[in-house]
């Protein structure tokens, strides 16, 4: 169970890395385009467009075919090749199991010594680190998130401990008027605290505005309150914490930190823009003076990472004042361009996509249910079935660029199992399996692939399942009447060579207990044969070899999803196989 959980964690790290790569592409695009739109697009657009990137970083949803998903599927294949090189057969392979003593099945002590050389030990240590990257990522992400939450809570406690509620009637009336003008219906409290350095907004559901003091002009007080209420109305606090969540999950990606800094900068610039949009030139100057007054040294406590303040830094203040002086209302052309760029970034996020882990189709999955998908075809299913060895060979047909997913569940001890795959051009690929669960992916080429699985061990069991995306064919699923659907009867298999000298088809169907499958076979093929193999819901195999005679077979079915695979090559003749459930 622990190894299966580790495999799930490693699949998660692939997903996070794919999301990070997709997000990085969008971040780079926005930063590269920044010189173009920085002075043309509104600050609000520049602020909120980052939400599309954050969504790409956090949401593992993508179209079936996407850029990053394809890259990671190719990576899976390359990684499996690298792993076999790093764990050579010459003696070190036994380290993959729990038996760390010399291999008792060989007398070649020299090979054993070479297997435990410092170089091989370092290679194995590197491989173990790679295999456990998911745990490292998860630990750092949790530590960062807990630290940020703890810092924020400490900041809240510190500020509230020194807070004094404002009781000046005139100030409270101004405060109420600003809240009414902003159409804020949620109660917002007003406090002062001489220890803070600038006005700030705190709290998600019980918000409060804290001022360093009330010894300011009525105009400064008005603009300060308006600024903080604008932050509250726009839900900037939630935006900042969403950003912090992305930073924690993608702590290893430097581009995410650059994005976070830009989001914080644009948070203040867009808030200023929202205020000055309704001001005349003189009022804009007064608002700028309020910002200048906010940078005067006050207090001695640094603002929290997720609080919303009026003042951030002198560099940002200069940029904010320049933006106020150069503010211009957007033209219709710029608004249309903003919409087009927003659409382009969203579509770009969908196109870059994310890695999607293959579902585990083996029994014993987390849900305890049969996870065979109708979009997958089983090309082989191998099991030791309680024996201390496994020897099996066969073949299957593939199309160009299909992905073969090999899912392995193993707890064998005192031995190993080798799976050899032979491509249509007779190239060999070898996978050595020991006592760990894992998933491998291989990119296939068009033609017939053969496989041979051989291994012996002292104890344990092993199950190997290979699936490829199903090639849909309407001939496999003829229309049923309503009565047939209701009673789960009718034709479930309908195969024919279609005047070809071969037949390669696969599919699946649902059955109920005590139903009977009748296979009617009509064949006059010469110079070859065909095999139809049925796989029961508990993965038992039923094979029927067909030659040049007509035959009828009956199979008692059990409840669940049955899969079938039909493969054959011959010199001449035709073959038709019809399967009906009664």
């Amino acid at each position: 169970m622990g190894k299966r959980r580790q495999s799930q964690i490693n699949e998660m790290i692939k997903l996070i890395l794919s999301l990070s790569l997709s997000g990085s592409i969008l971040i780079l695009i926005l930063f590269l385009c920044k010189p173009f739109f920085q002075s043309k697009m509104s600050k609000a657009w520049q602020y909120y467009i980052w939400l599309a990137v954050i969504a790409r970083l956090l949401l593992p949803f993508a179209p079936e075919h996407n850029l990053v998903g394809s890259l990671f599927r190719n990576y899976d294949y390359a990684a499996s090749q690298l792993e076999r090189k790093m764990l050579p057969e010459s003696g070190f392979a036994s380290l993959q199991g729990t038996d760390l003593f010399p291999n008792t099945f060989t007398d070649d002590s020299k090979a054993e010594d070479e297997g435990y050389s410092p170089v091989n030990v370092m290679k194995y240590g590197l491989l173990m680190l790679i295999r456990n990257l998911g745990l490292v990522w998860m630990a750092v992400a949790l530590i960062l998130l807990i630290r940020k939450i703890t810092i924020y809570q400490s900041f809240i406690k510190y500020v509230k401990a020194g807070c004094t509620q404002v009781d000046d009637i005139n100030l409270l009336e101004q405060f109420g008027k600003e809240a009414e003008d902003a159409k804020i219906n949620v109660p917002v409290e007003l406090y002062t605290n001489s220890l803070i350095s600038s006005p700030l907004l705190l709290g998600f559901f019980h918000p409060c505005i804290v001022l360093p003091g009330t010894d300011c002009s009525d105009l400064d007080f008005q603009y300060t309150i308006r600024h903080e209420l604008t932050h509250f109305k726009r839900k900037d606090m939630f935006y900042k914490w969403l950003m912090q969540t992305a930073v924690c999950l993608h702590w290893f990606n430097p581009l995410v930190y650059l994005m976070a800094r830009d989001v914080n900068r644009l948070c203040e610039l867009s808030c200023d823009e929202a205020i000055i949009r309704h001001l005349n030139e003189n009022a804009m100057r007064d608002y700028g003076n309020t910002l200048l007054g906010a940078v005067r040294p006050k207090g001695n406590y640094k603002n929290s990472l997720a609080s919303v303040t009026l003042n951030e830094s002198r560099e940002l203040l200069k940029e904010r004042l320049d933006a106020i002086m150069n503010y211009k209302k957007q033209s219709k052309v710029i608004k249309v361009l903003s919409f087009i760029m927003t659409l382009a970034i969203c579509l770009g996020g969908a196109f870059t996509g994310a890695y999607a882990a293959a579902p585990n189709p083996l029994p014993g999955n987390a849900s305890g249910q049969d996870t065979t998908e109708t979009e997958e075809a089983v090309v082989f299913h191998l099991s030791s079935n309680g024996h201390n060895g496994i020897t099996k060979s066969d073949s299957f047909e593939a199309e160009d660029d299909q992905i073969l997913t090999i899912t392995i569940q193993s707890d064998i001890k005192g031995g190993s199992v080798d799976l050899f795959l032979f491509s249509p051009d007779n190239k060999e690929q070898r996978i050595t399996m020991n006592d760990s669960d894992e998933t491998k992916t291989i990119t296939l080429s068009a033609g017939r692939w053969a496989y041979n699985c051989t291994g012996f061990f002292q104890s344990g069991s092993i199950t190997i399942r290979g699936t490829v995306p199903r090639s849909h064919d309407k001939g496999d699923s003829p229309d049923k009447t309503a009565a047939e659907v209701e009673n789960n009867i009718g034709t479930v298999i309908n195969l024919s060579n279609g005047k070809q000298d071969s037949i390669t088809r696969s599919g699946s169907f649902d059955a109920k207990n005590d139903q009977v499958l009748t296979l009617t076979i009509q064949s006059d093929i010469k110079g070859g044969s065909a095999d139809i193999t049925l796989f029961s819901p508990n993965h038992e195999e039923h094979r029927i070899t067909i030659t040049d005679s007509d035959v009828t077979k009956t199979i008692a079915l059990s409840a669940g999803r049955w899969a079938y695979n039909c493969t054959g090559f011959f010199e001449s003749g035709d073959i038709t196989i019809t399967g009906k459930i009664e």
Side-chain angles (χ1 to χ4, degrees), residues 333-347:
V333 174
I334 295 298
K335 289 181 180 178
V336 171
L337 187 59
S338 299
F339 174 78
I340 294 173
M341 288 192 66
T342 302
L343 188 63
I345 291 296
C346 293
L347 291 177

Side-chain angles (χ1 to χ4, degrees), residues 355-397:
Y355 170 79
N360 182 6
L362 293 172
N365 55 75
S367 65
Q369 300 175 350
D370 178 22
T371 57
T372 303
E373 297 290 340
T374 58
E375 296 301 318
E376 282 187 343
V378 178
V379 294
F380 55 80
H381 182 90
L382 315 174
S383 176
S384 57
N385 290 323
H387 300 287
N388 292 337
I390 182 170
T391 54
K392 187 73 180 289
S393 61
D394 209 331
S395 63
F396 60 92
E397 195 74 15

Side-chain angles (χ1 to χ4, degrees), residues 155-439:
F155 178 76
I156 294 291
K157 287 181 180 179
Y158 182 91
V159 171
K160 287 191 173 181
C163 277
T164 303
Q165 192 165 14
V166 175
D167 55 5
D168 188 295
I169 300 300
N170 292 330
L171 293 180
L172 291 176
E173 286 181 354
Q174 290 185 54
F175 179 66
K177 184 177 183 304
E178 289 295 330
E180 184 180 351
D181 292 343
K183 297 180 180 179
I184 294 176
N185 300 319
V186 178
V188 180
E189 298 179 342
L190 184 63
Y191 295 95
T192 60
N193 188 330
S194 60
L195 297 176
I196 63 173
S197 58
S198 65
L200 54 89
L201 172 69
L202 296 175
F204 289 94
F205 306 107
H206 302 287
C208 66
I209 295 174
V210 186
L211 306 175
T214 56
D215 53 340
C216 58
S217 67
D218 290 344
L219 198 57
D220 286 344
F221 178 82
Q222 174 187 333
Y223 286 133
T224 298
I225 295 301
R226 187 176 301 179
H227 182 97
E228 301 304 333
L229 289 176
T230 302
H231 278 306
F232 174 73
K233 186 177 181 179
R234 301 193 316 168
K235 309 298 182 186
D236 286 336
M237 185 76 73
F238 290 94
Y239 192 162
K240 282 200 170 189
W241 272 105
L242 192 66
M243 183 69 252
Q244 292 301 323
T245 302
V247 169
C248 291
L249 291 177
H250 300 272
W251 54 265
F252 52 87
N253 188 342
L255 291 176
V256 174
Y257 294 92
L258 292 178
M259 178 181 69
R261 191 170 74 173
D262 203 52
V263 168
N264 288 333
R265 180 183 67 86
L266 288 166
C267 179
E268 296 303 324
L269 288 171
S270 61
C271 185
D272 293 340
E273 183 183 70
I275 294 173
I276 65 175
R277 183 184 302 152
H278 308 289
L279 302 181
N280 57 36
E281 188 174 344
N282 291 331
M284 287 184 189
R285 188 179 298 108
D286 293 334
Y287 180 73
N289 290 332
T290 300
L291 295 182
L292 283 172
V295 300
R296 294 168 188 162
K298 301 171 187 174
N300 56 12
Y301 196 83
K302 291 186 73 174
N303 297 315
S304 171
L305 55 93
S307 63
V308 181
T309 68
L310 181 67
N311 162 47
E312 291 287 343
S313 67
R314 293 182 181 275
E315 294 77 12
L316 179 57
L317 174 64
K318 183 179 182 302
E319 185 178 4
R320 292 169 69 180
L321 293 174
D322 288 340
I324 292 171
M325 292 175 61
N326 299 318
Y327 171 76
K328 293 180 181 178
K329 290 188 177 181
Q330 277 191 309
S331 64
K332 291 184 179 179
V333 174
I334 295 298
K335 289 181 180 178
V336 171
L337 187 59
S338 299
F339 174 78
I340 294 173
M341 288 192 66
T342 302
L343 188 63
I345 291 296
C346 293
L347 291 177
F351 170 73
T352 54
Y355 170 79
N360 182 6
L362 293 172
N365 55 75
S367 65
Q369 300 175 350
D370 178 22
T371 57
T372 303
E373 297 290 340
T374 58
E375 296 301 318
E376 282 187 343
V378 178
V379 294
F380 55 80
H381 182 90
L382 315 174
S383 176
S384 57
N385 290 323
H387 300 287
N388 292 337
I390 182 170
T391 54
K392 187 73 180 289
S393 61
D394 209 331
S395 63
F396 60 92
E397 195 74 15
E399 300 176 1
D400 263 330
D401 298 325
Q402 275 190 316
I403 301 296
L404 171 65
T405 302
I406 302 172
T407 310
I408 303 160
Q409 285 188 325
S410 173
D411 60 359
I412 61 175
K413 299 288 187 294
S416 63
V417 174
D418 287 321
L419 175 65
F420 296 88
L421 288 157
F422 304 93
S423 67
D425 55 356
N426 297 318
K427 291 181 180 178
E428 177 186 311
Q429 299 189 54
R430 178 178 184 176
I431 300 174
T432 299
M433 292 156 277
N434 296 89
D435 66 340
S436 61
D437 298 348
E438 53 186 327
T439 300

Side-chain angles (χ1 to χ4, degrees), residues 22-34 36-37 41 45-57 61 63 239 259 336-353:
S22 294
S24 296
I25 293 172
L26 298 181
I27 292 171
L28 287 173
I29 290 174
L30 285 175
F31 274 120
L32 289 174
C33 295
K34 191 174 180 179
F36 166 73
F37 61 68
M41 303 294 188
W45 181 88
Q46 296 179 49
Y47 177 52
Y48 288 113
I49 194 61
W50 286 117
L51 282 175
V53 182
I54 294 173
R56 180 68 284 168
L57 288 167
F61 305 114
Y239 192 162
M259 178 181 69
V336 171
L337 187 59
S338 299
F339 174 78
I340 294 173
M341 288 192 66
T342 302
L343 188 63
I345 291 296
C346 293
L347 291 177
F351 170 73
T352 54

Side-chain angles (χ1 to χ4, degrees), residues 87 91-101 115-116 120-121 124 434:
L87 294 178
F92 193 75
S94 61
L95 274 180
Q96 297 178 47
T98 57
D99 185 8
L100 297 180
F101 295 99
Y116 291 95
N120 277 341
V121 171
Y124 183 70
N434 296 89

